[in-house]
Amino acid sequence: MSVEDKQKPQRNDRVTIRTVATHAGVSVAAVSKVMRNAYGVSEALRAKVTDAIETLGYRPSRAARGLRGRSFTIGVLLIDIRNPFLPEVIAGVNGVLAPSHYQAMIGVSDARVQLETSLIESMIDYKMDGLVLVAPRLPSEILAKFAAQIPIVAVGYHDAGATAFDTVNADDQRGAEIAVEALLACGYRDIEMLSLGEREGHAVSVVRQREIGYRRAMQRGGLGASAPIGKIPIAPLKREAAMRKFLARKDRPRAVFCWSDLDAITLLSLAMEMGVRVPEDLAVIGYDNSSTAALGLVNLASIDQSGRELGQIATRALISRIEGRTAAEHILQTPSLVRRNSLIGSEDARQG
């Protein structure tokens, strides 16, 4: 018997995905990724696995391909765990799952696309039944490829044209408009927005949606020509330095709309340290209405997007996907303003 014949399984041998992996000299997970055409598979790996499949005559059973056993596990991927908005979203997810047979497994990523991709692929490989992605940074076409393999609902991701996955959002454009309208109603005209740097800038992100709403409301208020947006760097040390520089400016605005409580609360702390009175010298509105914003020593006015409700809606949508729904849903909730002391200033402190 030739060496080549010895490598081929005998007629009665059952060729499995593990047999293919051994023959190709790769892991079972790698074979799985090639077979489901996962994103990021190299051509060299694809060729190696394909050759092994052809050599061994491997054919997945129709039953295995057509019937995917449930693990009753939901993957929840968080990108920036520092954001005070996230605990409410998680609470909403768990609230829906608690009376069901499902449980949540949480993965934490950061701004690196490679890590985000790897975590999603791992969740797929662990046979999770569906994924809730909170503020993912991957392009829509990549999410669509993953959604062809597993049901996905994205929270904080504005792509109403997506057909492969669902989205659940607060109306971030409207939220920013509400913030600006409130400042205008209080008599402020010198208003600036503090946003994140360009690296966070894809059009589907909540950051850019809030910028659009800010500019629109400023335009309607007759301030379109003076609608500045200050950019906050991502790196923590540079982040604080940028806010200190903003507070020290001689031309500092009288009011600021901050893209998130994450930075608005830091801004309030730095303002106190630097002797900038809030709201007498600077009115501040944040976004998320986090639990920290409501503390008496913070008292931050903020846009409430009801993170808990978004988590609940996203989880119900995902379970519906898992149970067979194929038509995409794009759900948009209306946010509201929670007024606190960082907004309410004396009449003579405002500029008309």
Side-chain angles (χ1 to χ4, degrees):
M1 183 181 290
S2 68
V3 173
E4 183 178 348
D5 289 336
K6 288 181 179 179
Q7 289 178 341
K8 291 182 179 181
Q10 300 303 305
R11 182 180 299 273
N12 293 330
D13 289 348
R14 178 171 174 263
V15 179
T16 67
I17 191 172
R18 192 172 298 279
T19 312
V20 174
T22 301
H23 186 92
V26 300
S27 67
V28 171
V31 177
S32 174
K33 288 178 181 179
V34 171
M35 291 181 62
R36 53 185 168 79
N37 197 28
Y39 173 73
V41 173
S42 69
E43 288 304 316
L45 174 60
R46 190 182 306 279
K48 187 181 293 186
V49 171
T50 301
D51 287 344
I53 288 173
E54 292 177 353
T55 299
L56 298 172
Y58 173 62
R59 294 292 181 270
S61 71
R62 290 182 180 271
R65 294 168 63 182
L67 181 61
R68 184 176 183 271
R70 291 191 187 181
S71 65
F72 291 97
T73 304
I74 301 297
V76 181
L77 180 61
L78 311 175
I79 301 303
D80 188 351
I81 200 169
R82 297 169 302 171
N83 196 320
F85 166 68
L86 296 179
E88 285 297 301
V89 177
I90 295 170
V93 172
N94 287 333
V96 172
L97 295 183
S100 73
H101 295 294
Y102 292 94
Q103 60 181 349
M105 299 291 286
I106 297 175
V108 180
S109 181
D110 56 23
R112 290 180 292 162
V113 169
Q114 184 177 1
L115 177 57
E116 186 177 345
T117 299
S118 176
L119 284 171
I120 292 174
E121 289 182 337
S122 294
M123 289 177 171
I124 294 173
D125 289 340
Y126 278 108
K127 305 299 182 184
M128 294 187 181
D129 293 321
L131 305 180
V132 174
L133 309 180
V134 184
R137 288 172 170 80
L138 292 174
S140 291
E141 59 269 21
I142 302 303
L143 287 188
K145 289 182 179 179
F146 283 130
Q149 305 167 51
I150 188 172
I152 287 178
V153 177
V155 179
Y157 194 88
H158 290 268
D159 184 6
T163 58
F165 57 91
D166 301 332
T167 62
V168 176
N169 295 288
D171 188 338
D172 287 290
Q173 290 188 26
R174 181 58 194 145
E177 290 176 345
I178 291 171
V180 173
E181 289 166 2
L183 291 169
L184 292 172
C186 287
Y188 297 104
R189 305 288 292 174
D190 186 7
I191 304 168
E192 186 168 331
M193 179 179 179
L194 285 183
S195 186
L196 279 186
E198 294 298 336
R199 196 155 66 89
E200 301 297 305
H202 54 84
V204 298
S205 75
V206 298
V207 181
R208 297 304 162 235
Q209 293 294 307
R210 291 169 194 174
E211 289 181 359
I212 291 169
Y214 161 77
R215 288 195 174 100
R216 183 185 298 140
M218 292 288 281
Q219 184 74 35
R220 282 203 304 262
L223 302 172
S226 57
I229 297 179
K231 300 293 186 179
I232 302 173
I234 304 302
L237 293 179
K238 292 182 179 179
R239 205 169 191 148
E240 182 175 316
M243 283 187 270
R244 286 184 180 278
K245 185 176 180 180
F246 167 81
L247 290 168
R249 276 169 40 189
K250 291 183 178 180
D251 64 341
R252 185 188 65 229
R254 280 289 294 106
V256 60
F257 164 51
C258 200
W259 79 278
S260 169
D261 289 359
L262 176 67
D263 286 319
I265 291 170
T266 301
L267 187 69
L268 291 184
S269 177
L270 292 174
M272 180 180 294
E273 178 187 321
M274 296 173 66
V276 178
R277 298 172 302 165
V278 176
E280 292 82 3
D281 300 327
L282 179 67
V284 182
I285 296 181
Y287 206 111
D288 290 331
N289 191 32
S290 61
S291 58
T292 306
L295 294 176
L297 291 176
V298 179
N299 238 317
L300 172 67
S302 187
I303 301 297
D304 184 5
Q305 59 175 328
S306 188
R308 186 179 298 257
E309 186 174 357
L310 293 178
Q312 292 170 347
I313 293 170
T315 307
R316 293 190 186 103
L318 183 61
I319 292 174
S320 172
R321 273 275 190 185
I322 293 169
E323 292 177 348
R325 175 176 55 83
T326 57
E329 291 185 351
H330 300 288
I331 302 168
L332 206 60
Q333 298 289 101
T334 302
S336 60
L337 171 66
V338 178
R339 293 177 176 272
R340 295 192 182 96
N341 289 353
S342 68
L343 172 61
I344 305 167
S346 61
E347 289 296 331
D348 58 355
R350 300 173 189 159
Q351 292 183 355

